[in-house]
Structures are given as C-alpha cells and as structure tokens.
C-alpha cells in the first residue's frame, strides 16, 4: 500500500510539472542600457511593475556598510513629482500594493496594480530612478527607521546573529563577510554627499532590469516604457573586481555569543561555489534530503528517533559569487554540541560513501518539481523570477529551464558533490552560545 501511495505521489508531481505552462517573455534593451522583460498574461486584470538593480551589500565600501539596504528605504522618501510621504498613499489609493527587499547581490522594488494602472506603476518606478529626492531630512528619517528595524530583527531576536557570525569567519576578503543591514556607526558617519554618490553610481538604467508582467498589451507597454524610461541618461559602467578567497584547507573552530538565547547551537559551514553553477543546484538537493520536512534525514534521526536535538537542519545559501553550506543542531537534554556534530557527520559520510535510495531520490525530484510549479504560479512570482534570473544568472530563460538541471541530477552526482564540498578539512565548526546578560 505504501508503495502505491508513493507511486501516486510521483505521478501527480510529474503531471503537475508537465502541465506547468512555459513562461513566455520578450526582452530587449533601451538605448540607455536598461534591460526590459515583458510577460503577457491576460487571465486576470493585474500587472506587476518591478525593477531589480544589480547592487547589494557586497557593493558597499568597507567603512560604509548598510548603504544598499538603506537605499531600499530611502528611495520611498519621495521624488521631484511625488511628495514626501505620498508614495504609499498613491499606491494604496489606486488599489495596489508594493514593497522592496535587498540582499548581498541585488535590490528589488515592485508594485502590483489593477492592470488599468500600468502607466502609474511605470511612472512611479521611472520617478524613483530619474527624480529621487535625497536630502538630509530624508536620510535622518530613514536612519531611525533602519535602526528600529535592526533592533527588532537583529538585536532582540534569538539566533538572529547566527548567519552574521558564520559569514565573518567564512569570508576574510570578499565583502560577503558583512551583513546586509550593515553597521549603524557606518550609516551614522555617512555624509549626504556619500549617499548622493551611491545613488549616482548604482541607480542608473544600465544597472537595472525592468520587468512588466501581467494583463498588458505588448506594443502599448513598449511605448509607455520608452516614454518614461527612455529619456533617463545612461550612467558610467560599473566595474566589479572583488577579492578572491583563499581555499579552506583545514577545519577551524570558533565561538559566537547571543544574549537572546538559552539553548546553544552547533554549526558546521563549508564554502561552496556560485549559485550559477550546477554543483550549487546539487547542494540544494542535498540540503533538502537532509532537512526538508519531518521525514528528512536529520530531523527524523536527531529530533524524532534519538531525541538528541530540539532542531536540526541544513541549508545551502547560494549567492552570486560564492555560496555557504550550513549544517546546524540545537541539543536536547544532556546531549552536547560534540555529540550532535558527530551524528551529523555520520549522515554526511553516508551521502559521500553510499548512493541515496531510489525512494529518497524520487522524493527529492517530486519536491523540486512542485517548487518549480509553485514559483511560477502567480504574476508577482513570475516577475521576480524573470528579474532574478536575468540580473544574477545572466539567463532569463532559466525561469523555464532551471528545472531541467534539477531533473538531470543523478544519485551519483549527489555523492560526488558531497565528497567535493562537504569535507571535514574544509569547514568551520562554530559553537553558538548564550551570552550572559551580565
């Protein structure tokens, strides 16, 4: 009976993936270098207008961290034609929603409107690019907003410094050693001229990808884009030459402290290749095998059966230049951090020395098929994927073909990649410990 249920699940996943419609799109460049991607879907009267700028925390000066994330906030302050405080009022009063987010590699802004407000969305994003108002008053306002965000999300949240401490040990040269939110003392010290210079350098059409997706007419949309974005002057080409990291050739250890926790954690971290590589996708599959859901290897072993841990897992943090593969666990009862890392290593050794079972492999394939279908299930998600694949991977059509990479991964390849990157001699082992309030 279990076998029949499993076969049914595999069949359903295959049918879902087979029926997932190809995402048709058209892309081209404006004369000022802005890349444009259009996706027409007239099934619902909504449209997403979005712009992804190829600027993130890694592009900041070492003594001015947090600038990219700060701009995510600052560029909602207003423009030459949008008064301070009016941005969100305009969006909501026209039936729309909007947001923005920043990573180490890019910054993304978007609006979702009823399709009869397409022109409004284009105008607002062109205003953000062409006529931003960057004054000391706005900088001071957003400085307090960012500080409050840091207090809420970092300073007062348990385990919120976990990744920060991993990164600072894994990266000694590359700017991935910092955090996206940055250091407040750097933002406090930044002058208005520095904010203006950052905007002038990175917020330029030739460092941006505009995506319009949804209920649109392609030709009419092109005319509007040309009218609103065509006149924006091209900026200077951005040259990136980040330092390369030296290989990790022996295991090293570290400790980090968090005043907001009572239960410690053990972490094993490995430096891995760029998100653009095939190996990065294989590592995605390995992390899912180890810790995706309650039936995954680490949860089932450490949490469910042996009851050695409150929580255990793995994730592959893939980024544009490098990745970081992280394994972690929080001990339960009298079990120690050393006990947990030994048990985790047993499971890594198994992957390196044995092929995972056919059943586990099929389960992985089903999960990635399902994720693929879900990622393209709405206009907002499609717009994000189109922008991301273009800006970070240089291949917009991965929205349709990346799943083929996952489908082609074999059990032997999972074993080989685990051997290559999850090597005990090439890792950080970090104890993440409670810090005394005293």
């Amino acid at each position: 009976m279990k076998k029949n249920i499993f076969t049914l699940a595999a069949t359903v996943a295959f049918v879902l993936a087979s029926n997932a419609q190809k995402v048709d799109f058209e892309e081209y460049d404006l004369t000022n270098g802005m890349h444009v991607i259009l996706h027409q879907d007239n099934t619902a009267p909504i449209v997403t207008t979005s712009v992804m700028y190829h600027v993130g925390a890694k592009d900041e000066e070492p003594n001015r961290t947090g600038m990219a994330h700060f701009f995510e906030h600052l560029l909602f302050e207003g423009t030459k034609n949008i008064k301070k405080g009016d941005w969100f009022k305009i969006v909501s009063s026209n039936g729309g929603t909007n947001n923005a987010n920043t990573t180490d590699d890019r910054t993304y802004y978007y609006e979702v409107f009823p399709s009869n407000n397409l022109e409004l969305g284009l105008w607002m994003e062109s205003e953000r690019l062409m006529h931003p108002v960057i004054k000391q008053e706005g900088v001071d306002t957003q400085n307090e907003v960012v500080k409050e965000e840091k207090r809420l999300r970092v300073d007062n949240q348990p385990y919120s410094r976990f990744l920060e401490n991993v990164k600072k040990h894994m990266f000694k040269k590359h700017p991935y050693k910092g955090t996206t939110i940055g250091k407040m003392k750097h933002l406090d010290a930044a002058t208005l001229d520095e904010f203006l210079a950052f905007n002038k350098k990175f917020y330029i059409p030739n460092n941006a990808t505009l995506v319009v997706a949804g209920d649109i007419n392609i030709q009419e949309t092109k005319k509007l884009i040309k009218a609103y974005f065509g006149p924006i002057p091209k900026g200077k080409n951005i040259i990136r030459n980040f330092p390369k990291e030296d290989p990790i050739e022996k295991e090293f250890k570290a400790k980090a402290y968090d005043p907001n926790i009572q239960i410690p954690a053990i972490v094993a971290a490995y430096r891995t290749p760029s998100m653009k590589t095939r190996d990065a996708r294989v590592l995605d599959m390995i992390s899912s095998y180890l810790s995706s859901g309650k039936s995954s290897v680490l949860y089932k072993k450490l949490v469910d059966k042996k009851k050695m841990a409150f929580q255990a897992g793995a994730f592959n943090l893939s980024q544009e230049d490098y990745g970081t593969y992280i394994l972690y666990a929080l001990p339960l009862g009298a079990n120690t951090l050393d006990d947990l890392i030994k048990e985790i290593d047993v499971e890594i050794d198994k992957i390196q020395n044995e092929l995972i079972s056919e059943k586990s492999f099929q389960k992985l394939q089903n999960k990635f098929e399902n994720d693929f279908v879900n990622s393209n299930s709405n206009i907002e998600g499609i717009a994000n994927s189109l922008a991301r694949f273009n800006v970070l991977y240089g291949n917009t059509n991965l929205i349709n073909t990346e799943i083929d990479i996952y489908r082609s991964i074999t059990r032997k390849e999972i074993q080989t990649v685990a051997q290559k990157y999850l090597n005990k001699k090439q890792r950080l082992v970090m104890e993440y410990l409670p810090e005394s309030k005293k």
Side-chain angles (χ1 to χ4, degrees):
M1 181 64 183
K2 286 185 178 180
K3 184 176 181 181
N4 291 338
I5 292 172
F6 180 76
T7 304
L8 176 61
T11 303
V12 170
F14 176 78
V15 170
L16 282 173
S18 300
N19 291 336
Q21 290 186 348
K22 177 185 176 184
V23 177
D24 292 319
F25 61 90
E26 181 177 342
E27 58 185 332
Y28 62 98
D29 290 331
L30 298 178
T31 55
N32 58 17
M34 173 171 260
H35 193 70
V36 179
I37 305 172
L38 305 178
H39 166 66
Q40 183 176 349
D41 182 344
N42 303 117
T43 56
I46 59 171
V47 63
T48 296
T49 56
S50 67
V51 181
M52 185 173 285
Y53 294 90
H54 197 179
V55 55
K58 75 170 185 281
D59 294 293
E60 300 158 352
E61 294 297 324
N63 63 343
R64 288 295 181 267
T65 60
M67 290 284 275
H69 171 257
F70 194 91
F71 264 79
E72 175 199 318
H73 292 264
L74 185 61
L75 292 186
F76 283 105
E77 272 288 301
T79 73
K80 179 181 176 181
N81 298 301
I82 301 175
K83 293 180 181 179
K84 179 180 173 67
D86 280 1
W87 188 285
F88 297 103
K89 293 177 184 177
I90 293 172
V91 172
S92 61
S93 64
N94 284 277
T97 59
N98 70 304
N99 213 330
N101 51 70
T102 308
T103 71
D104 287 349
D105 298 313
R106 93 294 179 276
T107 308
Y108 185 59
Y109 303 85
Y110 67 93
E111 294 80 31
V112 181
F113 277 118
S115 53
N116 60 353
N117 279 324
L118 166 63
E119 187 170 1
L120 176 62
L122 291 172
W123 172 70
M124 294 184 78
E125 285 303 330
S126 69
E127 276 290 302
R128 193 198 306 273
L129 182 54
M130 182 183 260
H131 298 132
V133 173
I134 299 174
K135 294 183 178 180
Q136 192 62 50
E137 179 188 4
V139 168
D140 293 341
T141 299
Q142 296 307 321
N143 190 296
E144 290 305 314
V145 172
V146 171
K147 284 179 179 177
E148 181 61 20
E149 180 181 347
K150 184 175 183 292
R151 283 190 286 267
L152 289 172
R153 295 187 179 183
V154 180
D155 297 344
N156 298 315
Q157 285 293 324
Y159 303 99
S160 59
R161 302 172 193 176
F162 173 92
L163 186 57
E164 173 185 349
N165 281 283
V166 170
K167 289 173 66 178
K168 79 177 183 180
H169 290 294
M170 294 301 291
F171 297 99
K172 301 299 183 183
K173 299 178 180 180
H174 192 281
Y176 282 159
K177 63 187 175 183
T179 64
T180 305
I181 202 164
K183 296 181 179 178
M184 296 304 101
K185 65 180 181 180
H186 291 170
L187 294 174
D188 288 341
T191 66
L192 181 59
D193 284 343
E194 287 175 309
F195 285 106
L196 291 167
F198 191 90
N199 183 76
K200 184 178 180 180
K201 180 176 181 180
F202 294 108
Y203 281 83
I204 52 177
N206 44 310
N207 194 45
T209 291
L210 167 68
V211 178
V212 183
D215 184 23
I216 62 174
N217 176 285
I218 295 290
Q219 294 308 315
E220 291 177 4
T221 303
K222 284 183 175 181
K223 290 178 183 177
L224 291 171
I225 290 171
K226 184 177 181 180
Y228 284 111
F229 291 91
I232 303 174
K234 183 178 182 178
K236 291 184 178 179
N237 289 334
I238 297 168
I239 299 173
R240 292 179 172 87
N241 187 22
F242 299 118
K244 300 291 189 296
E245 288 289 337
D246 296 325
I248 298 172
E249 296 180 333
K250 64 178 182 177
E251 180 182 276
F252 65 103
K253 297 186 177 182
K255 293 182 180 181
Y257 298 89
D258 188 333
N260 299 309
I261 67 171
Q262 296 180 345
I263 301 171
I266 191 68
V267 181
Y270 309 77
R271 193 184 305 135
T272 53
S274 162
M275 57 168 52
K276 302 175 189 179
T277 62
R278 181 179 176 89
D279 284 354
R281 273 92 171 194
V282 180
L283 288 162
D284 286 340
M285 291 194 114
I286 295 173
S287 65
S288 289
Y289 171 72
L290 287 171
S291 70
S292 181
K294 292 187 176 181
S295 63
S296 61
V297 170
L298 291 182
Y299 186 94
K300 201 170 182 179
K301 176 182 182 180
L302 295 177
V303 179
D304 191 15
K305 288 186 176 180
K306 291 196 170 185
K307 302 192 185 309
M308 294 179 66
F310 281 106
Q311 189 176 348
F315 60 95
N316 182 34
L317 178 63
S318 284
Q319 296 180 276
E320 188 176 18
D321 295 344
Y322 290 101
T324 307
Y325 193 90
I326 298 173
L327 296 149
Y328 68 94
L330 281 66
L332 178 64
N335 293 289
T336 68
L337 299 181
D338 284 341
D339 294 335
L340 293 179
I341 198 69
K342 287 176 184 176
E343 294 290 344
I344 289 172
D345 282 343
V346 168
E347 298 309 316
I348 299 299
D349 288 343
K350 286 181 182 177
I351 300 173
Q352 292 171 332
N353 294 293
E354 306 169 14
L355 296 180
I356 67 171
S357 70
E358 283 282 6
K359 182 176 179 180
S360 295
F361 182 65
Q362 186 59 58
K363 181 181 172 184
L364 281 178
Q365 291 288 349
N366 295 344
K367 180 187 183 303
F368 280 85
E369 296 277 6
N370 187 60
D371 290 346
F372 166 68
V373 173
N374 289 337
S375 67
N376 294 341
S377 63
N378 60 61
I379 293 300
E380 191 176 322
I382 288 172
N384 187 311
S385 294
L386 288 168
R388 177 169 54 89
F389 283 125
N390 176 259
V391 172
L392 300 182
Y393 293 80
N395 181 1
T396 312
N397 198 45
L398 279 171
I399 194 171
N400 294 310
T401 62
E402 187 181 44
I403 187 59
D404 295 330
I405 301 174
Y406 287 109
R407 287 170 179 156
S408 68
I409 291 169
T410 65
R411 292 191 297 154
K412 180 61 178 176
E413 201 168 0
I414 287 173
Q415 182 185 40
T416 301
V417 168
Q419 292 170 347
K420 183 176 181 181
Y421 296 107
L422 306 185
N423 189 320
K424 293 177 186 176
K425 295 181 180 179
Q426 299 172 345
R427 71 178 181 182
L428 159 72
V429 174
M430 185 179 79
E431 296 179 4
Y432 192 79
L433 306 168
E435 179 181 301
S436 170
K437 295 285 185 180
K438 294 180 181 180

